[in-house]
């Protein structure tokens, strides 16, 4: 049982390091691939965490399939049931939090659409009357296509060219389906606290992705930077608060985004050293996540082998655990 507990502890602890590696990799990539790296890392690391908990939760049940009584299991593996109970409790809490977060997403989206019904349409743009300074990308909902929602206060706050940047930015959010990436990472962050840092990093890189698309549309990075800065200042002065699924040009660390727009367009790492470094970072995240996902299968193989040892049956297909026993010499149970 010691083998399993060590593997589970390592699997549950690794997202802290895996998230840090993913953030470092995203920092050296252009915005679009950075967003995919952060989303993929969050999903894989969350999947590894759930796999470890599910595997640990099933240890007593897998043992029962080998026709071992619970009393016999507790005699051989006294920590099995307590750890399985803890894993089951964590899975239950995660399930409740995931459902709660998903319902919050849907409720916010519904309220946003209801408020947008007051606006007047012009193609994919809805202008909502009022003095509030706000603008966001409104994803599709119940058959209604995505819209860019802008308040009349925001329209008055920007010049003509700046309004074009704002609209291009929000349209980039809709075209790239950024709300789906944001939702995946937001839900993954519920599974493991280490993944919350990936959610924060994704907000920045999604906005940078839309910034770059907007700058390409208007053909002037300085105009784009000025528009983002002006929109953020106007929105902040009115105390606006947004989040998924209302992705907005004024979200994230705006000074860093403006600074990036004043620099040349970002490109993928070039040169042998930088490219190798990016590849190593990516491989680290993938290998760790895949190893965590394989833990559930390893747990099943371990219990099968250990149960056969208890009843005196041959080791069967679980030769890996038999080899580990031979090397360590401590016995599977």
């Amino acid at each position: 049982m010691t083998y399993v507990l060590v593997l589970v502890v390592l699997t549950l602890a690794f997202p802290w390091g895996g998230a840090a590696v993913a953030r470092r990799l995203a920092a050296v990539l252009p915005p679009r691939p950075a967003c995919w790296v952060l989303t993929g890392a969050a999903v894989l690391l969350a999947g590894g965490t759930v796999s470890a908990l599910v595997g640990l939760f099933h240890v007593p049940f897998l043992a029962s399939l080998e026709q071992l009584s619970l009393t016999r299991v507790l005699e051989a593996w006294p920590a099995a049931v307590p750890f399985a109970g803890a894993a089951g409790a964590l899975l239950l809490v995660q399930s409740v939090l995931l459902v709660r977060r998903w319902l919050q997403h849907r409720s916010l989206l519904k309220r946003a659409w209801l408020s947008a019904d007051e606006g007047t349409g012009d193609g994919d743009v809805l202008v909502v009357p009022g003095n509030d300074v706000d603008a966001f990308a409104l994803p599709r909902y119940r058959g209604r296509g995505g819209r860019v929602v802008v308040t009349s206060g925001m329209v008055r706050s920007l010049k003509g060219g700046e309004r074009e940047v704002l609209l291009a930015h929000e349209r980039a959010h809709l075209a790239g389906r950024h709300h789906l990436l944001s939702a995946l990472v937001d839900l993954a962050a519920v599974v493991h606290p280490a993944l919350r840092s990936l959610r924060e990093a994704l907000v920045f890189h999604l906005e940078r992705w839309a910034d770059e698309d907007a700058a390409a549309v208007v053909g002037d990075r300085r105009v784009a930077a000025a528009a983002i800065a002006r929109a953020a200042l106007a929105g902040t002065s009115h105390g606006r608060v947004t989040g998924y699924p209302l992705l907005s040009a004024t979200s994230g660390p705006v000074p860093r985004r403006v600074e990036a727009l004043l620099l040349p367009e970002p490109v993928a790492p070039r040169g042998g050293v930088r490219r190798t470094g990016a590849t190593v970072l990516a491989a680290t995240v993938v290998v760790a996540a895949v190893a965590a996902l394989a833990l559930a299968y390893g747990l099943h193989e371990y219990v099968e082998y250990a149960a056969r040892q208890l009843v005196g049956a041959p080791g069967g297909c679980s030769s890996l655990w038999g080899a580990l026993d031979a090397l360590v010499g401590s016995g599977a149970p």
Side-chain angles (χ1 to χ4, degrees), residues 67-137:
Q67 299 180 351
L68 289 176
S69 66
L70 182 60
T71 303
R72 188 74 183 276
V73 171
L74 289 174
E75 290 177 354
W77 312 322
V81 172
F83 275 98
L90 285 175
L91 287 171
L92 179 61
V93 171
Q94 288 175 346
S95 299
V96 172
L97 292 177
L98 283 170
V99 172
R100 179 186 177 188
R101 183 62 60 86
W102 175 251
L103 292 177
Q104 289 174 344
H105 289 172
R106 302 302 295 177
S107 176
L108 179 58
L109 188 57
K110 180 180 179 180
R111 294 199 307 270
W113 269 105
L114 290 175
S115 65
D117 286 340
E118 303 174 0
T120 56
D122 182 12
D124 63 343
V125 179
L126 290 175
V127 179
V128 179
N131 294 324
D132 292 339
V133 181
D134 202 358
F136 53 86

Side-chain angles (χ1 to χ4, degrees), residues 100-305:
R100 179 186 177 188
R101 183 62 60 86
W102 175 251
L103 292 177
Q104 289 174 344
H105 289 172
R106 302 302 295 177
S107 176
L108 179 58
L109 188 57
K110 180 180 179 180
R111 294 199 307 270
W113 269 105
L114 290 175
S115 65
D117 286 340
E118 303 174 0
T120 56
D122 182 12
D124 63 343
V125 179
L126 290 175
V127 179
V128 179
N131 294 324
D132 292 339
V133 181
D134 202 358
F136 53 86
L138 187 56
R140 62 182 303 166
Y141 179 71
R142 294 186 176 179
R144 305 173 67 177
R147 294 288 188 272
V148 175
V149 179
V150 184
T151 63
S152 54
M154 178 65 83
V155 173
R156 292 192 298 268
S157 298
L158 302 179
K159 302 176 182 178
E162 294 171 342
R163 288 195 290 270
E164 183 181 358
V165 172
L166 181 69
L167 294 179
H169 178 101
E170 303 302 346
R171 284 171 176 150
H173 280 317
L174 294 176
R177 302 180 72 81
H178 294 173
H179 63 285
L180 296 181
L181 302 183
S182 179
L184 284 173
V185 176
D186 193 38
L187 293 173
V190 173
V191 173
H192 197 294
L195 304 182
R196 294 172 186 171
S197 63
L198 296 185
R199 179 177 56 190
E200 297 170 359
L202 182 68
V203 170
F204 171 70
H205 288 286
L206 283 175
E207 296 304 328
R208 285 284 300 119
W209 181 349
D211 288 345
E212 291 297 330
D213 285 358
V217 169
V218 300
D220 191 324
R221 298 179 65 81
R222 288 188 173 275
V223 170
I228 298 301
R230 187 185 297 273
L233 289 174
T236 302
S237 64
H238 288 75
R240 189 185 60 81
V241 178
T242 61
Y244 171 84
L246 310 180
L247 298 172
S248 170
T250 58
S251 300
V254 175
R256 288 175 57 197
R257 292 168 50 202
V258 171
E259 182 181 1
L261 283 171
L262 295 176
L263 298 174
E265 182 178 355
V267 296
R270 295 177 180 176
V273 175
R274 295 188 65 188
R275 188 174 301 171
T276 300
T279 302
V280 170
L281 289 174
T284 301
V285 175
V286 172
V287 169
V290 171
L293 290 171
L295 178 61
Y297 176 77
L299 282 170
H300 181 277
E301 289 292 291
Y302 167 79
V303 174
E304 180 182 348
Y305 168 77

